[in-house]
Amino acid sequence: MTNHEIAAAFNEVADLLEFQGANPFRVRAYRNGAKRIGDLNESLAAIAESSDRSLKEIPGIGDDLAQKITTLLHTGTLPMLAELRREIPPGVLLLARVPGVGPKKAMILQRELGVNSLSDLREACQGQRVRRLKGFGAKTEEGIIKGLSIAETAGARIRWADAEVIVQNLIEYMREAPGVRQLEVAGSYRRGRDTVGDLDLLADADDGGPAMDRFAAWMHVQEVVSRGDTKMTVRLVSGMQVDLRVVLSESFGAALQYFTGSKEHNVVVRARAKQQGLKVNEWGVFRAASADGHGNEETAVSPLEQYVAGRTEHEVYAALGLPWFPPELREAREEFEWAAAGRLPELVSLEDIRGDLHMHTTASDGQHSIEEMVAAARARGRQYIAITDHSKRVFMARGLDTQRLRLQWLEVDRVNRQVEDVEVLKGVECDILEKGGMDLPDDVLAEADWVIASVHYGQSQSRAQITARVLQALENPHVDMLAHPTGRLINRRDPYDIDMDAVLAAAARHGKSLELNANPARLDLHEVHCAAARRLGIPIVINTDAHSAAGMDVMKYGVLQARRGGLTAAHVLNALPWAEFRQRMRRRP
Ligand code: DGT
Ligand code: CA
Ligand code: CA
Ligand code: ZN
């Protein structure tokens, strides 16, 4: 049992307890314990086994949690969790995830109205029964109806970063399955899509039985949906479906290629094979038996088709005269043209990133000071950062007016003089006002090293209005970059209605950069627009928009999205080393 899995168990206990209306301190104890476990560098199993150490030396772990960790380590289950799961129908937990509901309201809905599923909830809203509940009201009811349609159109797709947590646990757990030689998660997860529908796990083994037995016993499995000799499907407690397929080593590469997809990419691959008298499927690449019957005498007993390749993906693609494609590119967009020209791009990687040009501090809605953000940036190998707190319009986040901003910039200069290895830029995330225009005067923006323009208000304006506001901001000579250009929040808020062609053209014309906000809830710019920006020569800046030191860890999600847009380091402005980035800056500090 890994730290991840134990933390997940505690988080689930916290969710379920909270759902039952348990003492908030008790709920917090489990959540806090899960968080502390998540931050640990060593495995709980090692600490528990060591004779001179105790689990209780971990901050946030008292007698009770220590005992539960021991139970989990020894038995792989937690009786208390099993009981909670029995008491709370999974349908009701789903309710809590509807935007506008949350655990407290879900609990009331279930208790007072007997609502147990999303469709029950919709009916209750339509019958206007929800608004009559204490503490709900008509506005809440309307919010829930909106939340329901978001939950339904989002379907069961989850954000890539959330899938990553499941995948890490799953791989760690399944690696110990007897007889399994290789293990990979294929599908949209491997392609790095912003959301993932289901997980496609592949195992290389002679006999699928033991691997399937272990899989069925995983603590996060709610139900085994189906099980055959080589394929098994389960549903996890979270609602996510996972397919496990077991193949032989000769087919592992072919299966990995096949189940990584996308379907569209594979259509082209199969057509290509056909042209060459080959056939490709999840078992391998095969040469079709000659139609004229010239085959050898053994044809009657040996397979009609001759196996050509299938052990590795490289081998499969090579057999078809194709290069190995990074999974992020397998969407049948430009990859086959690039391959034909013999130049697949060398996609940007996390190691290429040198700067981070969007982050917040305690001056507005961040949790850490300038110095703390500098230390966090240093720990992540960044050479330069921009401190970009909100401007005054964002009063909820205590946005800065001219006076406070100038004071902060003095502070930035002071810190910058003190640190040798990280360059700290005076920046601001300046709001684009609802009526148009920037939230701070031009002469103030002119003093900054780095100016971000952002839309936070008036997102439901008409396409013409929002587009005009953004174009005006891009024309402002002091603006360097447009942040989170479409405002989408994955599964929660659609992008605002904006003419992206016009925005891209304006950015190109005025030499402005566009942000790829790496927050896994945003991933905005979308990959398709990243590709468009690349073709127009618009620099992309991958930023964390960190509101805390740990917030800087999201960079990898932005990089993944950039890779799906076919970006190389040369397309990413903050992949430039400091000396070169400095040359590119409008104002040179
Ligand atoms: P998802 O799960 O909706 O996020 O997207 P994918 O791409 O993971 O799709 P999924 O799970 O249905 O299938 C994984 C890959 O397996 C898919 O990209 C291509 C391949 N595949 C699955 N079913 C079929 C099929 O019926 N025909 C073909 N040609 N390929 C399939
Ligand atoms: Ca899938
Ligand atoms: Ca699947
Ligand atoms: Zn921001």
Side-chain angles (χ1 to χ4, degrees), residues 538-550:
I538 300 166
I540 295 294
V541 190
I542 310 176
N543 287 324
T544 62
D545 197 357
H547 284 67
S548 67

Side-chain angles (χ1 to χ4, degrees), residues 246-309:
V246 184
V247 299
L248 299 174
S249 298
E250 301 90 271
S251 296
F252 190 76
L256 185 57
Q257 195 284 326
Y258 182 92
F259 291 111
T260 295
S262 65
K263 288 192 176 102
E264 294 75 15
H265 174 91
N266 286 352
V267 165
V268 180
V269 168
R270 277 197 299 274
R272 167 114 189 176
K274 206 165 168 190
Q275 280 170 4
Q276 302 177 9
L278 297 169
K279 191 173 131 183
V280 54
N281 57 28
E282 62 266 55
W283 313 113
V285 180
F286 300 88
R287 186 167 305 287
S290 49
D292 57 9
H294 273 284
N296 54 43
E297 312 253 319
E298 287 154 341
T299 326
V301 286
S302 66
L304 287 172
E305 294 161 333
Q306 188 199 337
Y307 171 91
V308 178

Side-chain angles (χ1 to χ4, degrees), residues 198-200 241 243 245:
D198 69 3
L199 292 175
D200 304 280
Q241 187 175 301
D243 293 334
R245 291 181 177 86

Side-chain angles (χ1 to χ4, degrees), residues 371-491:
E371 278 100 338
E372 287 167 322
M373 295 308 271
V374 169
R378 175 185 297 119
R380 288 158 182 80
R382 311 273 183 260
Q383 296 175 357
Y384 53 98
I385 60 173
I387 301 297
T388 58
D389 276 305
H390 289 289
S391 62
K392 61 182 190 295
R393 173 66 185 87
V394 194
F395 53 85
M396 302 256 292
R398 299 194 311 117
L400 303 173
D401 59 13
T402 299
Q403 195 189 0
R404 285 180 63 214
L405 188 60
R406 284 195 169 127
L407 283 173
Q408 187 194 40
W409 284 346
L410 289 175
E411 179 72 6
V412 171
D413 279 337
R414 186 184 67 73
V415 172
N416 194 35
R417 278 194 300 274
Q418 278 172 6
V419 295
E420 292 278 304
D421 51 346
V422 180
E423 210 54 47
V424 194
L425 301 177
K426 297 188 292 267
V428 63
E429 177 174 17
C430 184
D431 252 60
I432 300 172
L433 300 173
E434 291 100 308
K435 61 178 195 298
M438 303 298 288
D439 189 23
L440 291 166
D442 275 359
D443 62 320
V444 177
L445 297 181
E447 292 166 27
D449 299 323
W450 179 254
V451 175
I452 300 177
S454 286
V455 170
H456 289 113
Y457 295 94
Q459 298 198 13
S460 49
Q461 288 175 354
S462 73
R463 181 178 176 90
Q465 251 178 316
I466 295 193
T467 305
R469 282 165 71 198
V470 168
L471 294 192
Q472 195 189 352
L474 289 171
E475 280 161 22
N476 185 309
H478 307 297
V479 167
D480 295 288
M481 184 196 84
L482 176 67
H484 37 73
T486 73
R488 75 155 173 174
L489 289 178
I490 297 172
N491 284 355

